[in-house]
């Protein structure tokens, strides 16, 4: 199977020997950068390669499921009834993330494994100096009250990772649609960017830009996290997984000044960025491998190792894991993350297979917007027409494909 | 048949004369080879077939089919729909493809002359007599950029040109503070200079990778850094081909170095220059690693060169058919350009 070089995977690698000793199953894994993961898995699946466990990013689930590359949970249950752990309890997973990461068109494919929510990280000292003793509750507050006071002497109030790529489309562009009540697509899958609410969100992003460091369109995750860690910006909205980077004295100067809160609310509520990976059994595996793959998945997302997994740096998707008050006290990011998961939207990014085309369109025109090469209106129109062309080709408008995202 | 009636002496001359009918050439008795030679040639030919010819033919096959990886299980076995040249025709209407092709040519037209001229200057300097050990050090150090992995060059560029903690902006800031300290000596001139500088660069933090034009320039700088030494080395070796007595005689005739360069040295360099033109053109058309690691084609699409575009179509949108068609178009362009270069630049002495 494929792992990424992220805390959740390092955590499971740490725990692996125990699993291998107990079951005698040997897990062979390869660590791949995120940007190449999908390409690698697709090449493997389409050529009947050797992957037995699929690592499924929430935006790939539609594609993988439709291509028939992953096996639904129901089928596994039917085929191997005696290896399903009676304690597995699929309903123990937080409903939003099970629905978003592991479910496509009502069918569960696999349990969520590496789970993220967008969070607001802030520098307590910088906020205090500017006269604030708590983080902003709404985006409106952030831009009108907090940002002007926090931007001075080459320090900036906010950094928004916006580099061209998934970073732009997911972390920057989409983040400013949902909380304003906007969205990429309407119910009939036509572009909804022309909607005044979507426009309001995108315009908000433009006006927030003056409180961000120059060159923000080239900021990737690591740049934004660094900017906060080095004390150059006061607030960022980043994935929960970066908590461990920000509290590591080797990479952060603000270990004891770090504050974590849920993302600010927009006019339409919180609706924070949502992302994560589920694990599913690959259809190309033989029967024996399939059973072994399921045993691994069941163990890796199971109740027993939930706490160990969190302590090793992972983020469990199980409600039962977080019943332990000691754990919540030790990791202050967990509570805001659980709060975020109460209100997120599963289709924060559409999860159909056409997303891989849409993300490139949004990445291109979204950065052009931020550079003021095109106006927000022009950019939205361009994204809109191109998106509709892609979706028309795919057959969403003539009923060939169900409107599922 | 030439008018002079001079007999053609060799086969190659006969072939080169082109238009006229060939004079019958007395067959040179063919050398016979033993069967063993096949075994010596076979490995090279097989490897070439496996890694060169077969993938090429496969790409041609792909380019005429609809071949989207995520639909692989939907197609029957080897049942990808055959589209004739539809993928190619689609490229004509693909604005993104045209734009990045155009951008790639702009990149080529800016960078290739710079690299050639700088390379020529370095080669001429190293060709001068004297300072032997210094020249040896230079020659060795010229190889370092060439030996650096492309992706590493991109990552280095990303770090060096980082706007908040990159070494380039640090150097800029140092130069500016130096100016400030000697400012009073320059009196009135300083204000003018400073005003001009501030007009060009509003703050000390130059936003190398975040500004579309600067990002394009930055990628160009890294490309020049890596490939100018290559031009220098090729031209230097061409310079050593000039027979010393001719060069000396020329230097006695005139003391203008450019006359020597233009009339004596340049003709010897033409094969080298042609090689550089062909290789650099092909390299820039397939330039991927540096751009991908440095900017991913952004910001906007300021550095979206053609290979980055093709990779995106082929491996992110997993449309192998269209991507193969694009790659074949690139191949044809490269071949045409190479033929043109050979036609107009290549001369043998």
């Amino acid at each position: 199977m494929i792992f990424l070089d992220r805390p959740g995977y390092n955590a499971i690698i740490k725990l692996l020997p125990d699993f291998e000793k107990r079951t005698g199953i040997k897990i062979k894994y390869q660590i791949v950068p995120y940007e190449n993961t999908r390409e690698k898995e697709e090449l493997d699946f389409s050529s009947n390669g050797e992957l037995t466990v699929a690592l499924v990013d929430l935006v790939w689930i539609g594609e993988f499921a439709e291509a028939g590359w992953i096996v639904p949970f129901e089928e596994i249950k039917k085929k191997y009834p005696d290896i399903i752990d009676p304690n597995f309890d699929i309903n123990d997973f937080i409903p939003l993330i099970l629905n978003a990461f592991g479910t496509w068109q009502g069918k569960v494919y696999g349990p969520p494994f590496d789970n993220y929510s967008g969070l607001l990280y802030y520098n307590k000292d910088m906020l205090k100096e500017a006269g604030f003793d708590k983080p902003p509750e709404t985006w409106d507050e952030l831009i009108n009250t907090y940002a002007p006071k926090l931007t001075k002497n080459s320090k900036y109030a906010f950094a928004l990772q916006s580099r061209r790529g998934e970073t732009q489309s997911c972390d920057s562009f989409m983040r400013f649609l949902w909380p304003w009540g906007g969205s990429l697509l309407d119910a009939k899958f036509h572009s909804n960017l022309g909607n005044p609410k979507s426009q309001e969100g995108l315009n908000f992003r433009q006006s927030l830009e003056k409180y961000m460091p120059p060159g923000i369109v080239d900021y990737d995750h690591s740049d934004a996290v660094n900017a906060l860690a080095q004390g150059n910006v006061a607030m960022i909205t980043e994935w929960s997984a970066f908590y461990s980077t920000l509290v590591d004295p080797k990479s952060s100067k603000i270990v004891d000044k770090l504050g974590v809160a849920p993302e600010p609310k927009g006019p339409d509520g919180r609706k924070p960025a949502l992302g994560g990976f589920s694990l599913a059994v690959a259809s190309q595996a033989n029967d024996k491998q399939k059973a072994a793959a399921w045993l691994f998945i069941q163990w890796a997302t199971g109740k027993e190792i939930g706490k160990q997994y969190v302590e090793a740096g992972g983020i469990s998707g199980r409600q039962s894991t977080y019943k332990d008050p000691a754990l919540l006290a030790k990791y202050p990011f967990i509570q805001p993350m659980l709060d975020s998961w109460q209100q997120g939207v599963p289709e924060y990014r559409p999860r159909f297979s056409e997303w891989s085309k849409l993300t490139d369109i949004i990445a291109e025109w979204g950065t052009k917007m931020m550079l003021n090469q095109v106006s927000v209106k022009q950019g939205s129109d361009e994204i809109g027409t191109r998106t509709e062309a892609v979706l028309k080709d795919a057959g969403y408008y003539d009923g060939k494909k169900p409107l599922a995202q | 048949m030439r008018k002079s009636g001079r007999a053609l002496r060799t086969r190659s001359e006969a072939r080169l004369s082109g238009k006229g009918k060939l004079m019958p050439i007395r067959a040179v008795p063919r050398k016979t080879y033993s069967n063993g030679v096949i075994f010596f040639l076979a490995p090279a030919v097989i490897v070439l077939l496996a890694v060169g010819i077969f993938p090429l033919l496969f790409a041609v096959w792909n380019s005429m089919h609809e071949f989207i990886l995520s639909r692989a299980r939907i197609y029957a076995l080897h049942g990808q729909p055959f589209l004739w040249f539809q993928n190619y025709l689609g490229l004509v209407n693909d604005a993104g493809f045209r734009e990045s092709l155009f951008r790639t040519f702009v990149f080529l037209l800016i960078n290739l002359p710079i690299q050639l001229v700088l390379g020529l200057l370095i080669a001429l300097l190293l060709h001068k007599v004297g300072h032997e050990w210094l020249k040896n050090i230079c020659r060795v150090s010229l190889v370092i950029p060439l030996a650096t992995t492309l992706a590493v060059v991109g990552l280095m560029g990303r770090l060096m040109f980082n706007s908040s903690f990159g070494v380039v902006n640090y150097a800029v800031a140092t130069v500016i503070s130096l100016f400030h300290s000697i400012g009073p000596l320059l009196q009135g001139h300083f204000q003018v200079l400073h005003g001009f500088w501030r007009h060009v660069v509003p703050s000390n933090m130059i936003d190398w990778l975040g500004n579309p034009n600067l990002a394009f320039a930055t990628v160009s700088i890294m490309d020049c850094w890596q490939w100018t030494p290559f031009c220098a080395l090729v031209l230097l070796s061409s310079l050593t081909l000039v027979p010393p007595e001719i060069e000396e005689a020329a230097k006695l005739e005139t003391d203008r170095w450019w006359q020597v360069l233009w009339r004596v040295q340049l003709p010897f360099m033409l094969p080298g220059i042609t090689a550089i033109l062909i290789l650099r053109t092909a390299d820039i058309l397939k330039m991927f690693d540096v751009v991908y690691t440095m900017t991913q084609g952004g910001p906007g699409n300021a550095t979206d060169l053609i290979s980055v575009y093709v990779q995106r179509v082929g491996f992110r949108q997993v449309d192998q058919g269209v991507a193969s068609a694009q790659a074949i178009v690139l191949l044809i362009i490269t071949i045409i350009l190479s033929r043109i270069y050979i036609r107009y630049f290549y001369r043998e002495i």
Side-chain angles (χ1 to χ4, degrees), chain A residues 38 42 163-164 215 364, chain B residues 158 207 294 300-301 316 318:
Chain A
R38 175 169 158 268
E42 298 212 336
R163 193 178 183 210
R164 185 171 174 171
E364 179 184 340
Chain B
R158 200 166 161 70
D207 183 11
M294 240 167 126
N301 47 13
R316 285 191 48 80
V318 292

Side-chain angles (χ1 to χ4, degrees), chain B residues 1-54:
Chain B
M1 233 86 8
R2 294 191 180 171
K3 274 178 191 156
S4 67
R6 185 164 62 92
L8 297 170
R9 274 174 314 209
T10 61
R11 267 165 198 264
S12 63
E13 208 172 324
R15 229 185 299 122
L16 282 175
S17 75
K19 285 166 198 149
K21 275 190 223 147
L22 290 184
M23 287 240 305
I25 298 167
R26 183 155 304 281
V28 183
R30 270 184 72 193
K31 208 173 166 191
T32 51
Y33 295 100
S34 70
N35 284 338
V37 77
I38 294 176
F39 293 102
F40 283 104
L41 276 176
V45 173
I46 290 171
V47 169
L48 197 67
L49 281 177
V51 303
I53 309 294
F54 171 70

Side-chain angles (χ1 to χ4, degrees), chain A residues 153-169:
Chain A
N153 310 332
S154 333
K155 306 261 184 211
Y156 298 89
F158 192 70
L160 178 68
Q161 55 285 10
S162 300
R163 193 178 183 210
R164 185 171 174 171
E166 194 76 20
T167 312
Q168 163 68 217
S169 55

Side-chain angles (χ1 to χ4, degrees), chain A residues 285-302:
Chain A
N286 65 32
D287 285 353
K288 217 175 134 197
Q289 288 170 331
K290 275 185 190 156
W294 175 256
L295 282 175
F296 169 73
I297 294 173
Q298 183 170 274
W299 167 78
T301 60

Side-chain angles (χ1 to χ4, degrees), chain A residues 35 38-39 42-43 46 48 63 67 69 163-164 214-215 217-218 223 356-357 359-360 364 367-368 371 373, chain B residues 69-70 72-73 158 205 207 209-210 212 293-301 304 311-312 315-318:
Chain A
E35 296 278 340
R38 175 169 158 268
E39 166 188 331
E42 298 212 336
L43 286 174
S46 59
N48 279 322
E63 184 170 24
W69 287 333
R163 193 178 183 210
R164 185 171 174 171
V217 274
D218 192 51
D223 301 298
S356 59
K357 283 188 179 168
T359 180
D360 282 333
E364 179 184 340
T367 44
K368 280 185 178 168
L371 288 165
Q373 288 180 333
Chain B
L69 282 185
S70 56
R73 279 187 179 237
R158 200 166 161 70
M205 241 167 69
D207 183 11
L209 293 168
T293 45
M294 240 167 126
T295 62
Q296 294 210 341
N301 47 13
D304 200 13
Q311 186 266 355
R312 216 166 38 233
F315 292 102
R316 285 191 48 80
Q317 302 166 13
V318 292

Side-chain angles (χ1 to χ4, degrees), chain A residues 19 22 73 76-77 80-91 93 291 294-305 318:
Chain A
F19 170 75
R22 276 204 330 223
F73 178 50
I76 299 278
K77 253 207 278 194
Y80 313 98
D82 35 325
I83 64 165
I84 308 281
D85 181 355
N87 227 346
F88 179 64
D89 189 8
I90 193 106
N91 295 324
F93 290 101
W294 175 256
L295 282 175
F296 169 73
I297 294 173
Q298 183 170 274
W299 167 78
T301 60
K303 273 183 196 165
E304 297 96 88
I305 69 156
R318 286 185 171 271

